[in-house]
Amino acid sequence: MNIVVCLKQVPKKDSILRIAADGKWIDDRDLSYEMSEADAYALEEALRQKEKHGGEVIVICMGPERVRQSIKEALAKGADRAIHLYDEAFDHASDAAGIGRALAAALKDEKFDLVFTGLQSDDYGFAQVGLVIAERLGLSSATIAMEVQPEEGGVRVKRELESGWFQWVKIPLPALLTIQSGINQLRYATLKGIMAAKKKELREVKAADLGLTADDLKPAQVIERAYLPLKSKQTEMIEGKPAEAAAKLVEKLRFDARVL
Amino acid sequence: MTRTVETKEVLKGGSFLLEDHDAQEVFTPEDISDEHRMIAQTAREFTEKEILPRDEEIEAKNFDLSVELLRKAGELGLLSIDIPEKYGGMGLDLLSSLVASEQLSGQASFSGTLGAHTTIGTLPIVYFGTEEQKKKYLPRLATAELVGAYALTESGSGSDALGAKTKAVLTDDGKYYILNGQKMWITNGGFADLFTVFAKVDGEKFTAFIVERDFPGVSVAPEEHKMGLQGSSTCAVNLEDARVPVENVLGEIGKGHKIAFNILNIGRLKLGVSSNIGCKRLTSIATEYAKERHQFGVPIASFGLIKHKLAEMAILAYVGECMIYRTVGMIETTLDTVDRDIPEQALKAIEDYAIECSIIKVVASESLAYCADEAVQVFGGNGYSKDYPVERAYRDARISRIYEGTNEINRLIISGQMLRKATKGDLPVFQAAKKLMDELLSPSLSDDAGEGVFAAERAAIGNAKKAGVAVLGMAAQKYREKVQEQQEVLAAASDIIMEIFGMESAILRTEKLISTRGEADCSMQIEATRVFTNDALQRVEQHARRAIATMTEGDELRTMMSVLKRYMRFMPVDTISARRRIADSLIEAGRYNL
């Protein structure tokens, strides 16, 4: 069972985010980065499947030099080899279509049974890249995967639906699954793993190697403005008898403010 | 083995007092490799997920848990960084060991437990064990199947370690040493399986022994009642006709001091590392609280006097970190020139930096004391309550100034080692002092202001170094072989040396940072360096005045004071505004962010 895991590196959760001078995205100065949370669970799931069924885990990641840190972390945790899409041309791929197209092109000649992505990234949160890859490579796919059970002729997947409902689906291989956060317990990179990672293959791929030009990667969607949520204060007086008012308050806290 | 730094010029321990080091050569936290970063991350995640959630149990002296946590850390390889691969360890470099200690120190008691095991509990065997001893014990120390401890101190001999009364006598058949005595304040004593015990063979030859807990005649007294570190085990260990096989003699008979003192250099460095990260944590805790706590209708973080404290805490942590990484870089560079797998060579390389290790121990533990004290102050009345974390931090911090050599002993080591190196011809301190005296007689002092962001500071530090050299030179000349009796003068010289090392380390790191990020992106680091340097220079002057005033009198004193005044001429910077800006940046971030 060979599994590809698509990783993305995103600003750390506790970063102080400032809007960039052009007002279109966040200022990336002084930021530190980490593996996007859902991708970390996707990697963990792949490593667990490998431990059960054998095979190879290949990680693929696109981005500047700094993303190597996340790639190495994946190798340290037990991935076997890595592909790094490292080229300024990839900077153009800033929407789900462009990112998906680039990753699909890089995976075209790889032999795999499954591709995992995180359900969505912690920065853009498109939740589409996985599906674009599946579409371009002609893979079957399932989203919001909670459990993955490879079996004869395919894979059984438990999907999360709304309101505490789940669904089991069976799809043929090769398949792409988008993995939900929190479905397993993340492992630590052991010091042995960290040292072993230095000897693992980390292949750099340029856009030209994939036959892609800047034009091919041009985004179909552009962010026009990024801004912090505007704070506003509203006061609402709840009238009525104390018991009724309390019940109304609870309802409002639960459904409007969503703090309960 | 991970290499920290590329081939670089070896800078001798203590040489910073006499030479200017290059910013591009200095090792900084920004220079660590991806592997070191990952080791730190594993250690941090382990602390956050395994240790901190069990804080209360640890503090309630659940030592089964402490041992269980040690074993879990062992599974990840965190206990075997310093143990060679041949004996089941990772065989990594000193920096790996330090970044791990840094991140494993989040719970002070457990940090003590783990530190005692991996450093003083394990390193004596790593560095001084025979092949058989290493094979027998190290693989099990790497996993914490055996927990290590170090038994040097006695009720009558603490700082005066060689004054130990514990006695070892060879049995008639030559197979055992019979040990008698009592060792005090043994960290991990309650559950350790293995003790490095120091005793005098025939009451004379100071020697180390590997003593297993189960050896006949070994018993452990009940837990001590301590001020802090409630969750670490500290007991006396009694040796009553304890039978130790001769093959458990560690190192050579009569050469126990080599073990005792060499291991302490590494211990001091590591203690500095954990103290310094404690400063960072306390800065974050105090900042967060100051933002939340309102008085007079506004957060107390908006008050200048609170800002002063927050900024000062962050500055001390920043400067401490600069000193630590600079030192590790120098040690690693030297270790690269020797065979790390030959213990004598590795230890000798580390020993050359005894001055820096002592400086780091003293400075970081005193910075931690400041931070813990001011954190309590920021918390106000709440800070005095056990319901808030700083009350415990204040008590936990106190021991750092006492163990691994008291700060008094370390102060004597700093200038004492400088003088020893000078006498041996390893460092040209006396030549520098002589040159200085000649220079003093010349009519004008050269005021060569350099270039760059820290031109003024660099010039001032150059002069501060001269003041340091002058004090040391005068002390050596006046007291000669009796200089050791002049503890106050030696301590003043050490204080000057420490300030110099701090100022210069901060400048070097910040300059290196400017060269990669540009001035605009490290304005807080620049401010922190400026403020520290400004204040440190004033402290240097005070220490120098005190020392010179006791060594000279009359005209000589008058002359020296006017020279000192010329050396210490430095335009003050606006530290009030600078500290406010640093504090504002901390407050915006809600945590330490330098």
Side-chain angles (χ1 to χ4, degrees):
Chain A
M1 172 88 28
N2 294 340
I3 307 175
V4 172
V5 182
C6 304
L7 293 183
K8 185 175 191 184
Q9 196 188 46
V10 296
K12 271 194 178 155
K13 276 197 207 67
D14 61 354
S15 303
I16 308 159
L17 301 180
R18 298 189 188 89
I19 304 294
D22 66 2
K24 295 196 168 162
W25 192 234
I26 51 173
D27 187 347
D28 61 5
R29 283 179 309 169
D30 286 351
L31 287 182
S32 21
Y33 293 85
E34 64 187 356
M35 199 185 289
S36 190
E37 189 184 17
D39 297 351
Y41 285 98
L43 171 68
E44 180 63 40
E45 190 55 34
L47 296 173
R48 285 171 187 233
Q49 294 294 340
K50 178 190 146 181
E51 280 158 9
K52 268 190 237 158
H53 307 288
E56 194 187 30
V57 172
I58 307 141
V59 294
I60 181 166
C61 185
M62 187 168 96
E65 201 190 341
R66 62 170 158 77
V67 308
R68 274 171 169 266
Q69 273 180 33
S70 295
I71 294 175
K72 284 187 176 179
E73 187 188 328
L75 294 173
K77 287 188 169 178
D80 298 280
R81 61 188 170 91
I83 304 166
H84 179 191
L85 273 58
Y86 180 32
D87 191 341
E88 280 183 16
F90 292 125
D91 293 350
H92 297 282
S94 60
D95 65 347
I99 299 167
R101 191 175 296 146
L103 292 174
L107 292 177
K108 203 170 64 213
D109 299 323
E110 289 289 338
K111 290 198 168 42
F112 54 81
D113 305 289
L114 285 168
V115 179
F116 288 172
T117 68
L119 166 62
Q120 60 186 18
S121 64
D122 289 342
D123 53 357
Y124 289 128
F126 293 137
Q128 293 172 27
V129 171
L131 295 174
V132 174
I133 297 172
E135 199 56 33
R136 294 197 70 89
L137 295 177
L139 311 173
S140 52
S141 63
T143 53
I144 331 183
M146 302 287 296
E147 249 183 273
V148 181
Q149 295 178 354
E151 50 181 50
E152 203 49 45
V155 59
R156 253 167 60 84
V157 183
K158 182 181 172 185
R159 297 186 59 238
E160 185 181 3
L161 304 178
E162 287 290 316
S163 313
W165 285 76
F166 297 97
Q167 175 191 49
W168 280 98
V169 294
K170 185 172 175 183
I171 55 175
L173 295 177
L176 181 139
L177 307 179
T178 73
I179 305 287
Q180 173 66 300
S181 284
I183 67 165
N184 46 40
Q185 205 182 348
L186 302 180
R187 71 191 60 199
Y188 302 101
T190 64
L191 271 59
K192 265 209 172 74
I194 291 169
M195 291 304 140
K198 289 170 79 176
K199 298 193 190 83
K200 291 181 177 172
E201 179 189 311
L202 201 173
R203 185 160 56 91
E204 269 179 26
V205 175
K206 304 258 168 243
D209 302 337
L210 305 176
L212 294 171
T213 62
D215 242 18
D216 297 325
L217 297 164
K218 219 166 66 187
Q221 172 191 316
V222 195
I223 296 173
E224 293 196 334
R225 188 164 85 91
Y227 60 95
L228 297 169
L230 300 172
K231 272 188 194 167
S232 63
K233 234 183 199 173
Q234 282 176 343
T235 310
E236 190 184 331
M237 298 302 294
I238 300 172
E239 309 286 340
K241 288 180 184 153
E244 286 165 16
K248 215 166 187 182
L249 176 65
V250 168
E251 193 186 306
K252 285 200 174 289
L253 288 175
R254 185 170 292 157
F255 297 108
D256 295 351
R258 294 186 175 200
V259 293
L260 290 184
Chain B
M1 167 125 14
T2 319
R3 285 283 175 263
T4 312
V5 277
E6 295 136 38
T7 315
K8 284 184 172 171
E9 194 194 342
V10 170
L11 299 169
K12 276 193 169 177
S15 65
F16 66 87
L17 183 63
L18 306 167
E19 303 165 4
D20 290 333
H21 294 173
D22 179 7
Q24 291 309 316
E25 291 280 315
V26 75
F27 188 70
T28 74
E30 287 73 36
D31 299 321
I32 69 168
S33 70
D34 286 339
E35 284 71 35
H36 290 115
R37 201 165 284 130
M38 283 193 277
I39 292 172
Q41 186 176 332
T42 294
R44 182 170 57 243
E45 287 175 5
F46 183 77
T47 302
E48 285 167 3
K49 292 184 192 164
E50 315 281 342
I51 304 172
L52 297 180
R54 311 201 68 177
D55 176 66
E56 278 182 32
E57 292 164 82
I58 294 172
E59 286 304 286
K61 295 190 171 45
N62 179 348
F63 294 138
D64 290 342
L65 173 64
S66 296
V67 174
E68 183 194 320
L69 287 173
L70 276 181
R71 290 186 181 148
K72 271 193 183 171
E75 283 169 24
L76 299 178
L78 291 169
L79 303 183
S80 53
I81 295 173
D82 306 315
I83 298 176
E85 281 179 275
K86 204 175 150 189
Y87 309 107
M90 294 298 306
L92 300 178
D93 61 6
L94 182 64
L95 180 61
S96 304
S97 177
L98 292 178
V99 296
S101 318
E102 204 169 61
Q103 298 301 333
L104 287 167
S105 63
Q107 209 280 353
S109 297
F110 187 72
S111 170
T113 304
L114 188 137
H117 172 72
T118 56
T119 306
I120 50 182
T122 299
L123 293 184
I125 301 179
V126 170
Y127 285 120
F128 296 94
T130 61
E131 188 64 23
E132 288 69 38
Q133 289 167 345
K134 289 180 187 175
K135 272 191 198 149
K136 185 173 177 189
Y137 295 117
L138 291 181
R140 290 191 285 162
L141 285 164
T143 56
E145 182 194 329
L146 296 178
V147 177
Y150 186 78
L152 174 63
T153 301
E154 298 180 6
S155 59
S157 62
S159 296
D160 177 21
L162 300 182
K165 292 255 175 0
T166 301
K167 212 172 153 182
V169 179
L170 193 62
T171 51
D172 291 341
D173 61 5
K175 286 185 180 165
Y176 294 93
Y177 277 98
I178 303 298
L179 269 58
N180 276 293
Q182 190 191 44
K183 293 290 174 179
M184 292 287 291
W185 311 120
I186 311 308
T187 306
N188 292 351
F191 48 82
D193 306 284
L194 214 55
F195 301 86
T196 299
V197 173
F198 292 84
K200 284 184 173 166
V201 172
D202 302 330
E204 283 169 19
K205 289 166 256 167
F206 192 68
T207 306
F209 298 84
I210 304 172
V211 176
E212 294 182 21
R213 189 188 194 89
D214 298 335
F215 285 171
V218 178
S219 65
V220 175
E223 288 293 327
E224 301 287 352
H225 300 289
K226 293 173 294 185
M227 176 190 284
L229 300 184
Q230 298 299 342
S232 79
S233 167
T234 309
C235 309
V237 173
N238 297 317
L239 304 154
E240 289 162 302
D241 291 331
R243 285 165 73 86
V244 181
V246 285
E247 56 268 25
N248 276 31
V249 169
L250 185 61
E252 292 172 51
I253 304 258
K255 297 276 172 68
H257 60 281
K258 274 192 166 179
I259 303 177
F261 298 143
N262 272 309
I263 299 303
L264 281 178
N265 282 327
I266 303 171
R268 283 170 189 151
L269 196 51
K270 285 198 184 181
L271 178 62
V273 163
S274 54
S275 299
N276 200 67
I277 197 146
C279 295
K280 284 192 190 180
R281 278 196 202 99
L282 286 163
T283 308
S284 299
I285 291 171
T287 303
E288 211 180 321
Y289 183 84
K291 284 175 75 170
E292 298 294 319
R293 171 79 178 169
H294 282 63
Q295 286 293 281
F296 307 105
V298 288
I300 61 169
S302 63
F303 300 128
L305 287 179
I306 300 294
K307 285 186 185 182
H308 175 97
K309 297 180 199 304
L310 299 178
E312 186 62 10
M313 291 163 81
I315 291 167
L316 292 177
Y318 179 72
V319 175
E321 194 175 62
C322 299
M323 297 162 80
I324 289 166
Y325 280 80
R326 181 186 186 191
T327 301
V328 176
M330 291 193 289
I331 296 178
E332 289 288 358
T333 308
T334 307
L335 283 171
D336 278 346
T337 65
V338 303
D339 187 342
R340 292 176 190 242
D341 296 331
I342 302 175
E344 303 87 71
Q345 291 196 15
L347 278 177
K348 202 166 180 316
I350 296 169
E351 197 190 345
D352 190 40
Y353 299 92
I355 294 172
E356 284 83 354
C357 291
S358 286
I359 292 178
I360 285 167
K361 193 274 176 180
V362 173
V363 173
S365 63
E366 291 178 2
S367 296
L368 180 64
Y370 174 88
C371 292
D373 185 64
E374 291 290 33
V376 170
Q377 197 69 15
V378 169
F379 273 66
N382 286 338
Y384 203 63
S385 157
K386 284 196 191 297
D387 293 341
Y388 290 83
V390 291
E391 181 267 350
R392 191 168 109 201
Y394 183 79
R395 285 184 289 105
D396 288 346
R398 191 60 186 84
I399 190 64
S400 303
R401 283 159 55 203
I402 299 170
Y403 60 14
E404 307 285 352
T406 61
N407 285 11
E408 289 69 26
I409 288 287
N410 275 291
R411 277 192 163 82
L412 297 179
I413 289 173
I414 294 162
S415 43
Q417 279 285 342
M418 274 292 182
L419 288 174
R420 194 161 310 135
K421 283 191 159 199
T423 312
K424 275 172 67 186
D426 286 349
L427 280 180
V429 177
F430 300 142
Q431 291 87 324
K434 169 144 196 337
K435 200 174 142 225
L436 195 59
M437 289 305 161
D438 296 343
E439 192 186 301
L440 292 183
L441 298 175
S442 72
S444 67
L445 287 172
S446 63
D447 261 346
D448 47 343
E451 288 173 10
V453 180
F454 296 118
E457 283 81 3
R458 273 184 167 275
I461 291 174
N463 286 333
K465 287 186 181 183
K466 289 178 181 171
V469 167
V471 170
L472 268 183
M474 284 171 76
Q477 204 176 24
K478 184 169 169 73
Y479 305 115
R480 302 197 175 262
E481 63 277 9
K482 292 197 168 165
V483 70
Q484 291 307 327
E485 292 167 16
Q486 301 302 320
Q487 295 197 337
E488 301 93 324
V489 172
L490 286 175
S494 296
D495 281 318
I496 296 171
I497 294 168
M498 288 192 285
E499 300 287 5
I500 289 167
F501 192 61
M503 291 189 277
E504 193 176 61
S505 302
I507 285 181
L508 290 172
R509 175 182 176 191
T510 310
E511 282 180 346
K512 197 172 187 183
L513 210 54
I514 294 170
S515 72
T516 54
R517 286 194 202 164
E519 228 177 291
D521 278 353
C522 35
S523 57
M524 288 309 119
Q525 288 84 352
I526 294 172
E527 305 253 36
T529 306
R530 283 228 164 94
V531 173
F532 182 81
T533 305
N534 182 83
D535 293 2
L537 285 168
Q538 295 178 44
R539 294 192 291 264
V540 166
E541 188 172 3
Q542 285 170 20
H543 297 309
R545 283 173 71 96
R546 192 168 69 246
I548 293 169
T550 193
M551 291 191 285
T552 57
E553 57 187 0
D555 283 348
E556 198 188 351
L557 175 59
R558 220 161 285 129
T559 312
M560 288 308 296
M561 281 302 129
S562 73
V563 170
L564 184 66
K565 209 170 193 176
R566 269 198 289 169
Y567 277 149
M568 302 315 297
R569 200 173 48 201
F570 179 74
M571 193 58 83
V573 299
D574 177 4
T575 55
I576 293 180
S577 303
R579 278 201 179 85
R580 283 190 173 200
R581 287 190 292 271
I582 293 170
D584 288 340
S585 156
L586 292 169
I587 292 161
E588 189 199 351
R591 60 180 150 86
Y592 177 86
N593 69 341
L594 284 174

